[in-house]
Amino acid sequence: MSKLLHTAWWLIASRRTSLALLAAAGPGQAMDLARTHAGEIHLLLADVVMPEMNGVELCRHIRSAPLPHYIYVILLTSRNAEHDLLEGMDAAADDFLTKPIPDQHLVSSVAVRAERARMLSALMVQDSLTGLLKHAMIKEQLVQELSRAKRTQS
């Protein structure tokens, strides 16, 4: 498994044709990326054992943050004790992958979960029958457009 997984939290933006990876050097940067790339980030891949803040704590921060959409959280762990899994589930982690994990398995697992997260986000924003924005998204778009109009005075 790549050493990169041990040095960063990974935020993954799922697009129809590809995945974009954003690496965060620490928990603060991971939260900043989740906020600044709000519409793009669909998945967070975090190791349970990390310096500063572990993956479970970061998951709790993601879940308590007022983000405009849901971020699917996958925790990587070499632990397989039931207590550790229950702690992650209590923090609302969506999935767990056990290390060591072959690189191709990791890539495939993340790609499938990122696509699922992107599709769920789209369902939360648009009505599946009409394709129109849902009420909450219409209100959010209206606030953004009013803000933009005030800034540009148009």
Side-chain angles (χ1 to χ4, degrees), residues 16 42 117-128 134:
R16 286 208 181 272
H42 297 287
R118 188 193 62 73
M119 288 171 52
L120 287 172
S121 290
L123 288 173
M124 292 170 58
V125 170
Q126 289 182 317
D127 182 273
S128 60
K134 290 190 175 182

Side-chain angles (χ1 to χ4, degrees), residues 1 16 43 60 66-67 79 82 87 96 99 131:
M1 180 171 45
R16 286 208 181 272
L43 188 140
R60 283 192 177 101
L67 298 172
R79 304 172 181 172
E82 187 174 339
E87 183 182 19
F96 298 87
K99 298 185 301 184

Side-chain angles (χ1 to χ4, degrees), residues 47-68:
D47 199 321
V48 169
V49 180
M50 293 291 285
E52 292 181 59
M53 178 187 295
N54 68 39
V56 173
E57 292 167 344
L58 181 58
C59 182
R60 283 192 177 101
H61 282 284
I62 290 283
R63 294 295 179 242
S64 65
L67 298 172

Side-chain angles (χ1 to χ4, degrees), residues 5-101:
L5 288 176
H6 300 289
T7 60
W9 287 269
W10 293 94
L11 292 100
I12 295 138
S14 172
R15 299 191 176 105
R16 286 208 181 272
T17 58
S18 65
L19 296 175
L21 302 177
L22 302 169
Q29 187 181 21
M31 290 301 295
D32 288 344
L33 285 171
R35 285 186 194 99
T36 57
H37 295 278
E40 301 171 41
I41 302 295
H42 297 287
L43 188 140
L44 168 68
L45 180 64
D47 199 321
V48 169
V49 180
M50 293 291 285
E52 292 181 59
M53 178 187 295
N54 68 39
V56 173
E57 292 167 344
L58 181 58
C59 182
R60 283 192 177 101
H61 282 284
I62 290 283
R63 294 295 179 242
S64 65
L67 298 172
H69 68 285
Y70 189 81
I71 294 180
Y72 195 95
V73 176
I74 299 175
L75 296 177
L76 287 168
T77 182
S78 57
R79 304 172 181 172
N80 58 5
E82 187 174 339
H83 167 75
D84 295 322
L85 294 176
L86 291 174
E87 183 182 19
M89 290 168 65
D90 186 52
D94 295 292
D95 211 344
F96 298 87
L97 294 175
T98 305
K99 298 185 301 184
I101 183 171

